Amino acid sequence: MSKKFYIKTFGCQMNFNDSERIRGILKTIGYEPTDNWQEADLIILNTCTIREKPDQKVLSHLGEYKKIKEKNPNALIAVAGCLAQRAGWELVNKAPVIDIMFSSFNMHQLPELINQAQAGYKAIAILEEPPEDEDKVWEYPVERDNPYCAYVTIIKGCDKNCTYCVVPRTRGRERSRSLESILDEVKRLVDDGVREIHLLGQNVTAWGKDFEKPIPFSELLYEVSKVPGVERIRFTTGHPRDLTDDIIEAMADIPQVCNALHLPFQAGSDRILALMDRGYTKEFYLERIAKLKEKVKDIALSTDVIVGFPTETEEDFEHTLDVLEKVKFEQVFSFKFSPRPGTPAAEMDGQVPDEVKTERMRRLLDLQKKIMSELAKRYERTIQEVLVEEEKNRELIGRTTTNKWASFKGDKSLLGKIVRIKVTKSSPFSLEGELVEVVK
Ligand code: SAH
Ligand code: SF4
Ligand code: F3S
């Protein structure tokens, strides 16, 4: 009987894509997935450590999963991802139940680590630097749940060093994946029925800068769009500082690039932006947005914001609200500042009390709620293109190119097709509509 694995993923889309790769690796060596951790021979937690909360979640899950060993003493528990990379042995000492540990640097070593653990050794493989052969990981397939939309990681790591952020520590320096390797995967995915390609990285707009002969990210967009069968392209996350005019022009020029962009601004005050070391001002950010809105018709924007960065005053915070009012994002992901071990911001004077963070967060959410209901009206009675992804309760569901969920009545044979719908009802998070025509 083949062995079973269960994987639990925390964190961002990159981590989800890493888990899809880990699933591919495990399948290659004969493991089968299970949705029930209690019947697994191998439990993997792919962890996140961006804020304090995800750290705590991992520990409480470990407390639960360790019961597996009572039933199945040979079962293995593995911890992967960013918390593993940051905390390493410190975490193993806290949770001795961990048998295997690795990170995004060395997922390709998993088969070896399983062998070591099965032989009774603790297989803790946390490396200072990514190993030279890390590109081997691309040779493994990914195992996806969504048949029509696929993530493709194009760049690992981050060189930006924002003062609050732990990612450069957990994912290392920027390493762009080669154009050839990316296009290879895109072709394989399209052959497998995928229609939407979502390029991923902590900082995708920096792709190609580290090559001997640098290639601009805009060039990659063109190359991906030329692969026959690629109907839609998205990319996450771009950094405002690297969002050059050629990228905006490529977005406008390439029909498959969706008219949506996630562009985190983090804070509206220039003083706070400087303390964060983001490398731009409020004015620079607003200018980039103005250019995007001018070139990419009806673009839907989303963003990340940190509330209560050290020394943030009421006046600073009002600049953040001002950016929300001016840009009118379709979606805002807002986080209370969380001090991360080893980051400069954690040591800064002037930490903001939690009550103040909570109060500012509430005001931010109130404002955003108002903006979202205003924006929702924009969709009423419009025609939208939707890629049909699933059938639920006898309705078809998919996303518009602006990344909004839309549902409508239609036949199952439309799964995987791009259709036009007329919007009959529009709310801040989703749309309802009627089928108008099948595009392709
Ligand atoms: N590379 C992306 C962000 C990745 S982390 C970028 O630069 O845009 C996702 C989001 O988590 C960040 O945009 C930020 O808003 C938030 N975040 C990161 N570190 C944080 C911290 N220490 N406290 C609170 N939020 C944080
Ligand atoms: Fe973190 Fe900044 Fe890099 Fe984003 S750009 S991952 S926030 S250091
Ligand atoms: Fe978390 Fe690592 Fe992503 S810290 S947000 S899983 S890069």
Side-chain angles (χ1 to χ4, degrees):
M1 209 177 66
S2 63
K3 293 203 180 252
K4 293 201 169 84
F5 73 93
Y6 172 85
I7 185 160
K8 170 92 189 159
T9 310
F10 302 87
C12 61
Q13 290 151 318
M14 301 244 352
N15 238 26
F16 277 83
N17 186 229
D18 287 351
S19 285
E20 292 176 331
R21 188 77 59 181
I22 292 169
R23 285 158 61 185
I25 294 174
L26 289 171
K27 198 141 187 214
T28 311
I29 58 170
Y31 276 80
E32 289 292 329
T34 168
D35 292 334
N36 177 4
W37 64 268
Q38 292 177 331
E39 57 172 45
D41 301 286
L42 170 66
I43 296 180
I44 298 187
L45 275 89
N46 196 7
T47 63
C48 170
T49 185
I50 198 80
R51 288 168 291 274
E52 204 178 333
K53 249 200 209 139
D55 280 14
Q56 291 161 352
K57 273 197 219 157
V58 171
L59 283 170
S60 73
H61 275 80
L62 275 172
E64 178 76 7
Y65 295 155
K66 74 175 178 204
K67 293 184 197 143
I68 189 88
K69 304 225 175 182
E70 292 161 17
K71 256 185 26 194
N72 177 0
N74 291 328
L76 297 173
I77 296 186
V79 176
C82 289
L83 177 61
Q85 183 64 36
R86 180 178 75 72
W89 276 100
E90 189 191 317
L91 183 64
V92 183
N93 292 337
K94 258 194 225 163
V97 64
I98 297 170
D99 302 294
I100 299 177
M101 203 179 236
F102 60 101
S103 77
S104 65
F105 289 4
N106 55 345
M107 294 184 285
H108 62 292
Q109 292 173 348
L110 180 57
E112 229 174 279
L113 297 173
I114 293 176
N115 284 340
Q116 279 179 31
Q118 278 170 342
Y121 299 102
K122 273 220 182 288
I124 310 301
I126 295 303
L127 313 168
E128 291 273 314
E129 299 279 332
E132 284 204 347
D133 64 348
E134 73 167 329
D135 282 347
K136 271 209 171 125
V137 74
W138 308 126
E139 291 166 18
Y140 288 99
V142 290
E143 277 286 311
R144 292 169 295 109
D145 288 330
N146 188 322
Y148 313 113
C149 310
Y151 289 132
V152 175
T153 294
I154 62 162
I155 181 169
K156 291 175 154 189
C158 180
D159 282 357
K160 287 281 191 277
N161 282 315
C162 304
T163 54
Y164 51 82
C165 183
V166 57
V167 171
R169 266 157 258 260
T170 66
R171 293 202 174 242
R173 291 191 66 84
E174 275 167 10
R175 288 100 69 207
S176 298
R177 180 174 177 187
S178 75
L179 180 62
E180 196 188 6
S181 168
I182 295 169
L183 293 179
D184 244 27
E185 180 163 17
V186 170
K187 283 179 196 142
R188 267 184 280 137
L189 289 166
V190 171
D191 285 345
D192 197 31
V194 167
R195 313 201 78 195
E196 179 177 304
I197 297 289
H198 194 147
L199 306 173
L200 280 187
Q202 283 306 340
N203 190 8
V204 282
T205 34
W207 180 85
K209 285 191 178 154
D210 53 335
F211 292 149
E212 214 166 286
K213 270 200 202 134
I215 312 178
F217 173 69
S218 55
E219 192 59 40
L220 175 66
L221 290 176
Y222 279 102
E223 291 296 327
V224 172
S225 75
K226 282 185 216 148
V227 176
V230 172
E231 305 291 356
R232 278 182 168 190
I233 304 171
R234 299 184 193 276
F235 56 90
T236 317
T237 303
H239 193 289
R241 199 160 79 189
D242 295 337
L243 190 77
T244 44
D245 285 350
D246 61 310
I247 298 176
I248 299 179
E249 266 141 37
M251 289 180 73
D253 188 36
I254 302 171
Q256 295 108 311
V257 174
C258 290
N259 50 350
L261 187 67
H262 183 68
L263 198 65
F265 76 93
Q266 313 297 4
S269 145
D270 289 347
R271 193 182 66 81
I272 297 292
L273 285 169
L275 282 176
M276 290 177 163
D277 208 4
R278 287 288 289 180
Y280 54 84
T281 58
K282 176 181 173 188
E283 192 190 339
F284 178 89
Y285 183 85
L286 290 175
E287 184 277 325
R288 289 289 80 191
I289 295 288
K291 183 107 194 194
L292 275 164
K293 287 186 172 171
E294 176 203 324
K295 298 274 174 187
V296 188
K297 198 177 152 272
D298 289 334
I299 188 166
L301 295 157
S302 58
T303 200
D304 292 346
V305 177
I306 296 178
V307 173
F309 188 83
T311 76
E312 185 188 69
T313 62
E314 174 61 26
E315 196 193 332
D316 291 322
F317 175 64
E318 279 167 15
H319 279 290
T320 294
L321 296 182
D322 186 49
V323 174
L324 294 195
E325 301 242 28
K326 290 206 161 98
V327 179
K328 303 208 188 304
F329 296 99
E330 297 238 344
Q331 243 184 321
V332 174
F333 300 90
S334 46
F335 310 100
K336 286 190 205 170
F337 170 73
S338 169
R340 304 316 289 136
T343 61
E347 307 297 324
M348 284 178 189
D349 290 336
Q351 298 287 327
V352 175
D354 195 53
E355 312 85 77
V356 178
K357 289 181 192 165
T358 305
E359 190 259 345
R360 288 185 188 158
M361 181 70 110
R362 190 188 46 75
R363 282 160 61 203
L364 183 148
L365 293 174
D366 283 349
L367 171 64
Q368 183 55 21
K369 208 167 136 194
K370 203 182 85 206
I371 293 171
M372 282 168 79
S373 359
E374 274 169 36
L375 286 178
K377 288 191 199 123
R378 214 174 76 170
Y379 284 91
E380 269 163 29
R381 289 180 296 278
T382 60
I383 302 286
Q384 296 288 328
E385 254 182 39
V386 173
L387 169 57
V388 187
E389 290 181 37
E390 51 179 320
E391 191 198 24
K392 229 190 223 160
N393 307 330
R394 305 248 276 338
E395 292 223 303
L396 297 175
I397 308 177
R399 272 171 302 161
T400 64
T401 87
T402 55
N403 212 11
K404 243 179 141 79
W405 286 102
S407 62
F408 62 97
K409 289 217 169 9
D411 190 74
K412 237 169 52 181
S413 62
L414 293 177
L415 282 169
K417 296 264 191 299
I418 293 177
V419 301
R420 286 204 178 94
I421 62 163
K422 177 155 192 192
V423 177
T424 50
K425 201 172 153 201
S426 168
S427 66
F429 288 101
S430 61
L431 307 173
E432 285 171 34
E434 284 161 3
L435 180 65
V436 177
E437 61 180 333
V438 180
V439 183
K440 51 188 161 187

